[in-house]
Each structure stands twice: as structure tokens, then as C-alpha cells.
mmCIF file of all heavy atoms in Angstrom:
data_model
loop_
_atom_site.group_PDB
_atom_site.id
_atom_site.type_symbol
_atom_site.label_atom_id
_atom_site.label_comp_id
_atom_site.label_asym_id
_atom_site.label_seq_id
_atom_site.Cartn_x
_atom_site.Cartn_y
_atom_site.Cartn_z
ATOM 1 N N ARG A 1 0.831 -1.211 0.000
ATOM 2 C CA ARG A 1 0.000 0.000 0.000
ATOM 3 C C ARG A 1 0.862 1.256 0.000
ATOM 4 O O ARG A 1 0.506 2.275 -0.600
ATOM 5 C CB ARG A 1 -0.915 -0.029 1.227
ATOM 6 C CG ARG A 1 -1.862 1.159 1.371
ATOM 7 C CD ARG A 1 -2.634 1.032 2.685
ATOM 8 N NE ARG A 1 -3.423 2.222 2.980
ATOM 9 C CZ ARG A 1 -4.737 2.330 2.831
ATOM 10 N NH1 ARG A 1 -5.436 1.301 2.376
ATOM 11 N NH2 ARG A 1 -5.369 3.440 3.145
ATOM 12 N N MET A 2 2.038 1.184 0.661
ATOM 13 C CA MET A 2 2.958 2.318 0.741
ATOM 14 C C MET A 2 3.841 2.448 -0.501
ATOM 15 O O MET A 2 4.621 3.394 -0.611
ATOM 16 C CB MET A 2 3.839 2.182 1.979
ATOM 17 C CG MET A 2 3.095 2.274 3.299
ATOM 18 S SD MET A 2 4.155 1.869 4.721
ATOM 19 C CE MET A 2 5.253 3.296 4.745
ATOM 20 N N GLY A 3 3.745 1.492 -1.416
ATOM 21 C CA GLY A 3 4.539 1.543 -2.633
ATOM 22 C C GLY A 3 5.957 1.022 -2.475
ATOM 23 O O GLY A 3 6.821 1.292 -3.324
ATOM 24 N N LYS A 4 6.223 0.248 -1.419
ATOM 25 C CA LYS A 4 7.552 -0.326 -1.209
ATOM 26 C C LYS A 4 7.702 -1.593 -2.059
ATOM 27 O O LYS A 4 6.754 -2.364 -2.222
ATOM 28 C CB LYS A 4 7.780 -0.669 0.263
ATOM 29 C CG LYS A 4 7.495 0.478 1.231
ATOM 30 C CD LYS A 4 8.463 1.637 1.071
ATOM 31 C CE LYS A 4 8.215 2.702 2.131
ATOM 32 N NZ LYS A 4 9.124 3.865 2.012
ATOM 33 N N SER A 5 8.912 -1.806 -2.580
ATOM 34 C CA SER A 5 9.167 -2.978 -3.425
ATOM 35 C C SER A 5 9.990 -4.047 -2.717
ATOM 36 O O SER A 5 10.154 -5.159 -3.235
ATOM 37 C CB SER A 5 9.903 -2.551 -4.697
ATOM 38 O OG SER A 5 11.153 -1.939 -4.374
ATOM 39 N N ARG A 6 10.503 -3.731 -1.536
ATOM 40 C CA ARG A 6 11.404 -4.641 -0.824
ATOM 41 C C ARG A 6 11.054 -4.646 0.661
ATOM 42 O O ARG A 6 10.733 -3.595 1.227
ATOM 43 C CB ARG A 6 12.850 -4.183 -1.012
ATOM 44 C CG ARG A 6 13.916 -4.961 -0.264
ATOM 45 C CD ARG A 6 15.303 -4.424 -0.623
ATOM 46 N NE ARG A 6 16.379 -5.094 0.096
ATOM 47 C CZ ARG A 6 16.981 -4.610 1.179
ATOM 48 N NH1 ARG A 6 16.613 -3.415 1.679
ATOM 49 N NH2 ARG A 6 17.952 -5.287 1.774
ATOM 50 N N VAL A 7 11.112 -5.838 1.273
ATOM 51 C CA VAL A 7 10.921 -5.940 2.713
ATOM 52 C C VAL A 7 12.128 -6.640 3.326
ATOM 53 O O VAL A 7 12.768 -7.490 2.698
ATOM 54 C CB VAL A 7 9.628 -6.698 3.095
ATOM 55 C CG1 VAL A 7 8.400 -5.898 2.699
ATOM 56 C CG2 VAL A 7 9.595 -8.094 2.492
ATOM 57 N N ILE A 8 12.432 -6.262 4.554
ATOM 58 C CA ILE A 8 13.491 -6.905 5.325
ATOM 59 C C ILE A 8 12.905 -7.296 6.675
ATOM 60 O O ILE A 8 11.885 -6.747 7.115
ATOM 61 C CB ILE A 8 14.716 -5.994 5.523
ATOM 62 C CG1 ILE A 8 14.315 -4.684 6.216
ATOM 63 C CG2 ILE A 8 15.395 -5.719 4.196
ATOM 64 C CD1 ILE A 8 15.490 -3.797 6.599
ATOM 65 N N ALA A 9 13.545 -8.239 7.333
ATOM 66 C CA ALA A 9 13.084 -8.660 8.656
ATOM 67 C C ALA A 9 14.245 -9.267 9.418
ATOM 68 O O ALA A 9 15.245 -9.687 8.827
ATOM 69 C CB ALA A 9 11.942 -9.674 8.538
ATOM 70 N N GLU A 10 14.095 -9.303 10.734
ATOM 71 C CA GLU A 10 14.994 -10.047 11.601
ATOM 72 C C GLU A 10 14.293 -11.346 11.977
ATOM 73 O O GLU A 10 13.072 -11.452 11.905
ATOM 74 C CB GLU A 10 15.309 -9.237 12.856
ATOM 75 C CG GLU A 10 14.295 -9.359 13.987
ATOM 76 C CD GLU A 10 12.900 -8.835 13.689
ATOM 77 O OE1 GLU A 10 12.758 -7.946 12.814
ATOM 78 O OE2 GLU A 10 11.932 -9.294 14.335
ATOM 79 N N THR A 11 15.060 -12.336 12.399
ATOM 80 C CA THR A 11 14.419 -13.543 12.919
ATOM 81 C C THR A 11 15.339 -14.220 13.910
ATOM 82 O O THR A 11 16.562 -14.128 13.811
ATOM 83 C CB THR A 11 14.013 -14.499 11.781
ATOM 84 O OG1 THR A 11 13.059 -15.441 12.260
ATOM 85 C CG2 THR A 11 15.213 -15.220 11.179
ATOM 86 N N GLY A 12 14.727 -14.878 14.909
ATOM 87 C CA GLY A 12 15.475 -15.624 15.910
ATOM 88 C C GLY A 12 15.271 -17.110 15.693
ATOM 89 O O GLY A 12 16.142 -17.827 15.200
ATOM 90 N N ALA A 13 14.059 -17.600 16.033
ATOM 91 C CA ALA A 13 13.732 -19.005 15.810
ATOM 92 C C ALA A 13 13.517 -19.315 14.335
ATOM 93 O O ALA A 13 13.445 -20.470 13.946
ATOM 94 C CB ALA A 13 12.486 -19.380 16.604
ATOM 95 N N GLY A 14 13.395 -18.275 13.520
ATOM 96 C CA GLY A 14 13.181 -18.474 12.091
ATOM 97 C C GLY A 14 11.741 -18.369 11.661
ATOM 98 O O GLY A 14 11.457 -18.223 10.477
ATOM 99 N N GLN A 15 10.787 -18.419 12.614
ATOM 100 C CA GLN A 15 9.377 -18.402 12.228
ATOM 101 C C GLN A 15 8.962 -17.065 11.639
ATOM 102 O O GLN A 15 8.193 -17.016 10.679
ATOM 103 C CB GLN A 15 8.499 -18.755 13.424
ATOM 104 C CG GLN A 15 8.557 -20.217 13.819
ATOM 105 C CD GLN A 15 8.111 -21.149 12.704
ATOM 106 O OE1 GLN A 15 8.880 -21.993 12.259
ATOM 107 N NE2 GLN A 15 6.897 -21.006 12.241
ATOM 108 N N HIS A 16 9.457 -15.960 12.195
ATOM 109 C CA HIS A 16 9.117 -14.660 11.614
ATOM 110 C C HIS A 16 9.780 -14.505 10.244
ATOM 111 O O HIS A 16 9.183 -13.940 9.325
ATOM 112 C CB HIS A 16 9.540 -13.526 12.541
ATOM 113 C CG HIS A 16 9.287 -12.164 11.962
ATOM 114 N ND1 HIS A 16 8.036 -11.750 11.560
ATOM 115 C CD2 HIS A 16 10.134 -11.133 11.684
ATOM 116 C CE1 HIS A 16 8.117 -10.515 11.076
ATOM 117 N NE2 HIS A 16 9.367 -10.126 11.136
ATOM 118 N N GLY A 17 10.988 -15.010 10.105
ATOM 119 C CA GLY A 17 11.645 -14.970 8.804
ATOM 120 C C GLY A 17 10.886 -15.764 7.766
ATOM 121 O O GLY A 17 10.675 -15.308 6.637
ATOM 122 N N VAL A 18 10.449 -16.963 8.131
ATOM 123 C CA VAL A 18 9.661 -17.787 7.211
ATOM 124 C C VAL A 18 8.346 -17.096 6.867
ATOM 125 O O VAL A 18 7.921 -17.068 5.704
ATOM 126 C CB VAL A 18 9.402 -19.176 7.823
ATOM 127 C CG1 VAL A 18 8.360 -19.947 7.015
ATOM 128 C CG2 VAL A 18 10.700 -19.979 7.898
ATOM 129 N N ALA A 19 7.686 -16.533 7.875
ATOM 130 C CA ALA A 19 6.411 -15.852 7.635
ATOM 131 C C ALA A 19 6.583 -14.659 6.703
ATOM 132 O O ALA A 19 5.781 -14.449 5.782
ATOM 133 C CB ALA A 19 5.807 -15.406 8.964
ATOM 134 N N THR A 20 7.632 -13.862 6.921
ATOM 135 C CA THR A 20 7.874 -12.701 6.060
ATOM 136 C C THR A 20 8.224 -13.138 4.642
ATOM 137 O O THR A 20 7.729 -12.562 3.661
ATOM 138 C CB THR A 20 8.991 -11.827 6.647
ATOM 139 O OG1 THR A 20 8.643 -11.434 7.977
ATOM 140 C CG2 THR A 20 9.215 -10.575 5.808
ATOM 141 N N ALA A 21 9.070 -14.161 4.523
ATOM 142 C CA ALA A 21 9.426 -14.683 3.200
ATOM 143 C C ALA A 21 8.198 -15.226 2.481
ATOM 144 O O ALA A 21 8.048 -15.063 1.257
ATOM 145 C CB ALA A 21 10.486 -15.766 3.341
ATOM 146 N N THR A 22 7.297 -15.859 3.219
ATOM 147 C CA THR A 22 6.063 -16.405 2.646
ATOM 148 C C THR A 22 5.179 -15.292 2.106
ATOM 149 O O THR A 22 4.690 -15.361 0.966
ATOM 150 C CB THR A 22 5.309 -17.213 3.717
ATOM 151 O OG1 THR A 22 6.116 -18.322 4.133
ATOM 152 C CG2 THR A 22 3.983 -17.722 3.192
ATOM 153 N N ALA A 23 4.939 -14.270 2.932
ATOM 154 C CA ALA A 23 4.090 -13.162 2.506
ATOM 155 C C ALA A 23 4.725 -12.410 1.336
ATOM 156 O O ALA A 23 4.031 -12.020 0.382
ATOM 157 C CB ALA A 23 3.849 -12.211 3.678
ATOM 158 N N ALA A 24 6.040 -12.220 1.394
ATOM 159 C CA ALA A 24 6.733 -11.514 0.316
ATOM 160 C C ALA A 24 6.641 -12.285 -0.991
ATOM 161 O O ALA A 24 6.438 -11.697 -2.069
ATOM 162 C CB ALA A 24 8.194 -11.285 0.694
ATOM 163 N N ALA A 25 6.789 -13.600 -0.929
ATOM 164 C CA ALA A 25 6.685 -14.419 -2.140
ATOM 165 C C ALA A 25 5.307 -14.267 -2.773
ATOM 166 O O ALA A 25 5.187 -14.071 -3.992
ATOM 167 C CB ALA A 25 6.964 -15.885 -1.796
ATOM 168 N N ARG A 26 4.272 -14.343 -1.961
ATOM 169 C CA ARG A 26 2.909 -14.266 -2.497
ATOM 170 C C ARG A 26 2.583 -12.881 -3.047
ATOM 171 O O ARG A 26 1.835 -12.748 -4.028
ATOM 172 C CB ARG A 26 1.920 -14.635 -1.385
ATOM 173 C CG ARG A 26 0.455 -14.585 -1.818
ATOM 174 C CD ARG A 26 0.167 -15.536 -2.975
ATOM 175 N NE ARG A 26 -1.211 -15.418 -3.425
ATOM 176 C CZ ARG A 26 -1.642 -14.512 -4.305
ATOM 177 N NH1 ARG A 26 -0.790 -13.622 -4.816
ATOM 178 N NH2 ARG A 26 -2.904 -14.484 -4.656
ATOM 179 N N LEU A 27 3.169 -11.843 -2.439
ATOM 180 C CA LEU A 27 2.853 -10.475 -2.852
ATOM 181 C C LEU A 27 3.875 -9.897 -3.829
ATOM 182 O O LEU A 27 3.764 -8.741 -4.238
ATOM 183 C CB LEU A 27 2.744 -9.573 -1.620
ATOM 184 C CG LEU A 27 1.586 -9.904 -0.670
ATOM 185 C CD1 LEU A 27 1.679 -9.085 0.612
ATOM 186 C CD2 LEU A 27 0.237 -9.669 -1.352
ATOM 187 N N GLY A 28 4.883 -10.690 -4.212
ATOM 188 C CA GLY A 28 5.856 -10.244 -5.206
ATOM 189 C C GLY A 28 6.825 -9.202 -4.716
ATOM 190 O O GLY A 28 7.248 -8.327 -5.486
ATOM 191 N N LEU A 29 7.230 -9.293 -3.449
ATOM 192 C CA LEU A 29 8.170 -8.341 -2.861
ATOM 193 C C LEU A 29 9.549 -8.976 -2.723
ATOM 194 O O LEU A 29 9.664 -10.149 -2.349
ATOM 195 C CB LEU A 29 7.680 -7.896 -1.486
ATOM 196 C CG LEU A 29 6.349 -7.128 -1.434
ATOM 197 C CD1 LEU A 29 5.830 -7.074 -0.004
ATOM 198 C CD2 LEU A 29 6.526 -5.725 -1.993
ATOM 199 N N GLU A 30 10.584 -8.220 -2.996
ATOM 200 C CA GLU A 30 11.941 -8.680 -2.705
ATOM 201 C C GLU A 30 12.085 -8.809 -1.193
ATOM 202 O O GLU A 30 11.556 -7.985 -0.445
ATOM 203 C CB GLU A 30 12.953 -7.672 -3.254
ATOM 204 C CG GLU A 30 14.405 -8.052 -3.042
ATOM 205 C CD GLU A 30 15.373 -6.959 -3.472
ATOM 206 O OE1 GLU A 30 14.929 -5.976 -4.115
ATOM 207 O OE2 GLU A 30 16.570 -7.083 -3.135
ATOM 208 N N CYS A 31 12.818 -9.826 -0.737
ATOM 209 C CA CYS A 31 12.857 -10.106 0.705
ATOM 210 C C CYS A 31 14.257 -10.490 1.151
ATOM 211 O O CYS A 31 14.926 -11.309 0.508
ATOM 212 C CB CYS A 31 11.890 -11.246 1.031
ATOM 213 S SG CYS A 31 11.796 -11.655 2.782
ATOM 214 N N GLU A 32 14.686 -9.894 2.271
ATOM 215 C CA GLU A 32 15.987 -10.190 2.863
ATOM 216 C C GLU A 32 15.800 -10.359 4.373
ATOM 217 O O GLU A 32 15.164 -9.519 5.018
ATOM 218 C CB GLU A 32 16.965 -9.061 2.563
ATOM 219 C CG GLU A 32 18.416 -9.459 2.625
ATOM 220 C CD GLU A 32 19.307 -8.499 1.821
ATOM 221 O OE1 GLU A 32 18.890 -8.050 0.738
ATOM 222 O OE2 GLU A 32 20.417 -8.216 2.307
ATOM 223 N N ILE A 33 16.351 -11.445 4.924
ATOM 224 C CA ILE A 33 16.160 -11.782 6.337
ATOM 225 C C ILE A 33 17.502 -11.798 7.049
ATOM 226 O O ILE A 33 18.448 -12.452 6.601
ATOM 227 C CB ILE A 33 15.499 -13.168 6.494
ATOM 228 C CG1 ILE A 33 14.206 -13.282 5.659
ATOM 229 C CG2 ILE A 33 15.232 -13.457 7.970
ATOM 230 C CD1 ILE A 33 13.094 -12.375 6.097
ATOM 231 N N TYR A 34 17.581 -11.100 8.182
ATOM 232 C CA TYR A 34 18.793 -11.081 9.006
ATOM 233 C C TYR A 34 18.622 -12.065 10.167
ATOM 234 O O TYR A 34 17.602 -12.049 10.868
ATOM 235 C CB TYR A 34 19.048 -9.674 9.535
ATOM 236 C CG TYR A 34 19.484 -8.722 8.444
ATOM 237 C CD1 TYR A 34 18.552 -8.009 7.691
ATOM 238 C CD2 TYR A 34 20.832 -8.553 8.153
ATOM 239 C CE1 TYR A 34 18.950 -7.147 6.678
ATOM 240 C CE2 TYR A 34 21.247 -7.690 7.146
ATOM 241 C CZ TYR A 34 20.305 -7.000 6.409
ATOM 242 O OH TYR A 34 20.708 -6.154 5.403
ATOM 243 N N MET A 35 19.658 -12.906 10.365
ATOM 244 C CA MET A 35 19.576 -13.958 11.382
ATOM 245 C C MET A 35 20.957 -14.203 11.974
ATOM 246 O O MET A 35 21.949 -14.323 11.242
ATOM 247 C CB MET A 35 19.037 -15.245 10.743
ATOM 248 C CG MET A 35 18.679 -16.349 11.701
ATOM 249 S SD MET A 35 17.860 -17.721 10.827
ATOM 250 C CE MET A 35 17.277 -18.701 12.216
ATOM 251 N N GLY A 36 21.028 -14.265 13.305
ATOM 252 C CA GLY A 36 22.293 -14.528 13.979
ATOM 253 C C GLY A 36 22.833 -15.910 13.659
ATOM 254 O O GLY A 36 22.068 -16.866 13.477
ATOM 255 N N THR A 37 24.156 -16.030 13.597
ATOM 256 C CA THR A 37 24.750 -17.310 13.212
ATOM 257 C C THR A 37 24.471 -18.409 14.241
ATOM 258 O O THR A 37 24.354 -19.585 13.870
ATOM 259 C CB THR A 37 26.271 -17.166 13.002
ATOM 260 O OG1 THR A 37 26.852 -16.549 14.168
ATOM 261 C CG2 THR A 37 26.570 -16.320 11.785
ATOM 262 N N ASP A 38 24.356 -18.053 15.519
ATOM 263 C CA ASP A 38 23.994 -19.068 16.515
ATOM 264 C C ASP A 38 22.596 -19.610 16.252
ATOM 265 O O ASP A 38 22.339 -20.814 16.395
ATOM 266 C CB ASP A 38 24.069 -18.488 17.929
ATOM 267 C CG ASP A 38 25.495 -18.416 18.457
ATOM 268 O OD1 ASP A 38 26.434 -18.747 17.695
ATOM 269 O OD2 ASP A 38 25.677 -18.018 19.625
ATOM 270 N N ASP A 39 21.682 -18.724 15.882
ATOM 271 C CA ASP A 39 20.317 -19.152 15.582
ATOM 272 C C ASP A 39 20.259 -19.955 14.281
ATOM 273 O O ASP A 39 19.477 -20.911 14.161
ATOM 274 C CB ASP A 39 19.382 -17.945 15.507
ATOM 275 C CG ASP A 39 19.182 -17.287 16.870
ATOM 276 O OD1 ASP A 39 19.362 -17.977 17.887
ATOM 277 O OD2 ASP A 39 18.857 -16.085 16.904
ATOM 278 N N ILE A 40 21.063 -19.577 13.310
ATOM 279 C CA ILE A 40 21.125 -20.346 12.057
ATOM 280 C C ILE A 40 21.525 -21.788 12.343
ATOM 281 O O ILE A 40 20.954 -22.735 11.782
ATOM 282 C CB ILE A 40 22.107 -19.682 11.069
ATOM 283 C CG1 ILE A 40 21.481 -18.395 10.485
ATOM 284 C CG2 ILE A 40 22.500 -20.639 9.940
ATOM 285 C CD1 ILE A 40 22.422 -17.595 9.612
ATOM 286 N N ALA A 41 22.485 -21.960 13.257
ATOM 287 C CA ALA A 41 22.984 -23.306 13.560
ATOM 288 C C ALA A 41 21.902 -24.183 14.172
ATOM 289 O O ALA A 41 21.868 -25.401 13.932
ATOM 290 C CB ALA A 41 24.182 -23.217 14.499
ATOM 291 N N ARG A 42 20.994 -23.591 14.979
ATOM 292 C CA ARG A 42 19.981 -24.420 15.640
ATOM 293 C C ARG A 42 18.626 -24.381 14.937
ATOM 294 O O ARG A 42 17.673 -25.006 15.417
ATOM 295 C CB ARG A 42 19.840 -24.020 17.115
ATOM 296 C CG ARG A 42 19.534 -22.562 17.396
ATOM 297 C CD ARG A 42 19.499 -22.294 18.901
ATOM 298 N NE ARG A 42 19.448 -20.865 19.200
ATOM 299 C CZ ARG A 42 19.375 -20.379 20.430
ATOM 300 N NH1 ARG A 42 19.326 -21.190 21.464
ATOM 301 N NH2 ARG A 42 19.341 -19.072 20.636
ATOM 302 N N GLN A 43 18.535 -23.656 13.835
ATOM 303 C CA GLN A 43 17.265 -23.576 13.101
ATOM 304 C C GLN A 43 17.499 -23.769 11.602
ATOM 305 O O GLN A 43 17.017 -23.002 10.763
ATOM 306 C CB GLN A 43 16.573 -22.235 13.375
ATOM 307 C CG GLN A 43 16.154 -22.026 14.818
ATOM 308 C CD GLN A 43 15.050 -22.974 15.255
ATOM 309 O OE1 GLN A 43 14.335 -23.549 14.419
ATOM 310 N NE2 GLN A 43 14.884 -23.151 16.547
ATOM 311 N N LYS A 44 18.243 -24.803 11.244
ATOM 312 C CA LYS A 44 18.626 -25.014 9.845
ATOM 313 C C LYS A 44 17.416 -25.251 8.941
ATOM 314 O O LYS A 44 17.410 -24.841 7.782
ATOM 315 C CB LYS A 44 19.611 -26.175 9.745
ATOM 316 C CG LYS A 44 20.977 -25.860 10.360
ATOM 317 C CD LYS A 44 21.927 -27.042 10.254
ATOM 318 C CE LYS A 44 23.273 -26.710 10.885
ATOM 319 N NZ LYS A 44 24.207 -27.870 10.840
ATOM 320 N N LEU A 45 16.406 -25.937 9.456
ATOM 321 C CA LEU A 45 15.215 -26.190 8.650
ATOM 322 C C LEU A 45 14.565 -24.889 8.211
ATOM 323 O O LEU A 45 14.205 -24.719 7.032
ATOM 324 C CB LEU A 45 14.215 -27.045 9.434
ATOM 325 C CG LEU A 45 12.853 -27.264 8.765
ATOM 326 C CD1 LEU A 45 13.005 -27.980 7.426
ATOM 327 C CD2 LEU A 45 11.921 -28.047 9.691
ATOM 328 N N ASN A 46 14.412 -23.941 9.141
ATOM 329 C CA ASN A 46 13.777 -22.675 8.784
ATOM 330 C C ASN A 46 14.649 -21.838 7.850
ATOM 331 O O ASN A 46 14.131 -21.082 7.023
ATOM 332 C CB ASN A 46 13.429 -21.881 10.042
ATOM 333 C CG ASN A 46 12.075 -22.288 10.606
ATOM 334 O OD1 ASN A 46 11.280 -22.931 9.934
ATOM 335 N ND2 ASN A 46 11.806 -21.903 11.851
ATOM 336 N N VAL A 47 15.964 -21.962 7.965
ATOM 337 C CA VAL A 47 16.850 -21.266 7.023
ATOM 338 C C VAL A 47 16.600 -21.775 5.610
ATOM 339 O O VAL A 47 16.484 -20.991 4.653
ATOM 340 C CB VAL A 47 18.326 -21.449 7.426
ATOM 341 C CG1 VAL A 47 19.252 -20.856 6.366
ATOM 342 C CG2 VAL A 47 18.597 -20.794 8.775
ATOM 343 N N PHE A 48 16.488 -23.079 5.458
ATOM 344 C CA PHE A 48 16.196 -23.643 4.139
ATOM 345 C C PHE A 48 14.829 -23.196 3.640
ATOM 346 O O PHE A 48 14.661 -22.853 2.459
ATOM 347 C CB PHE A 48 16.256 -25.173 4.182
ATOM 348 C CG PHE A 48 15.802 -25.815 2.895
ATOM 349 C CD1 PHE A 48 16.581 -25.727 1.750
ATOM 350 C CD2 PHE A 48 14.582 -26.473 2.827
ATOM 351 C CE1 PHE A 48 16.156 -26.296 0.554
ATOM 352 C CE2 PHE A 48 14.153 -27.045 1.637
ATOM 353 C CZ PHE A 48 14.940 -26.958 0.493
#
């Protein structure tokens, strides 16, 4: 609605990252997710 073409998000457990990536995919928005390396190690499924 605001005319933005790109969304970014942070994620810890990965669920917010997955949710944002899901919504962005459906709405045609470029998407980038920031995630700590410790969290990446324990949430590999959500990273994929």
C-alpha cells in the first residue's frame, strides 16, 4: 500500500523470517532476512 518494493526482517527461531518470506513471495516483494549465526545453527530447517 505504501509503494515499497522490498521488505526486510529479523528472525530468531526463524518463524518470523519464514512468515515474512512467505508473505513476500505471495505479494511479489523482494525479501531479505537477518539472522544470527547461533540461531542459524539451531534452526537449519527454517533457514532452508
Side-chain angles (χ1 to χ4, degrees):
R1 181 184 172 104
M2 295 172 70
K4 308 294 185 181
S5 60
R6 176 177 178 261
V7 292
I8 57 173
E10 85 296 335
T11 197
Q15 287 300 120
H16 177 57
V18 169
T20 303
T22 298
R26 180 59 183 85
L27 295 172
L29 297 165
E30 181 186 350
C31 182
E32 203 158 322
I33 308 294
Y34 290 88
M35 190 173 191
T37 52
D38 281 4
D39 292 336
I40 286 174
R42 55 183 170 178
Q43 296 293 340
K44 291 179 181 178
L45 174 61
N46 274 344
V47 174
F48 173 71

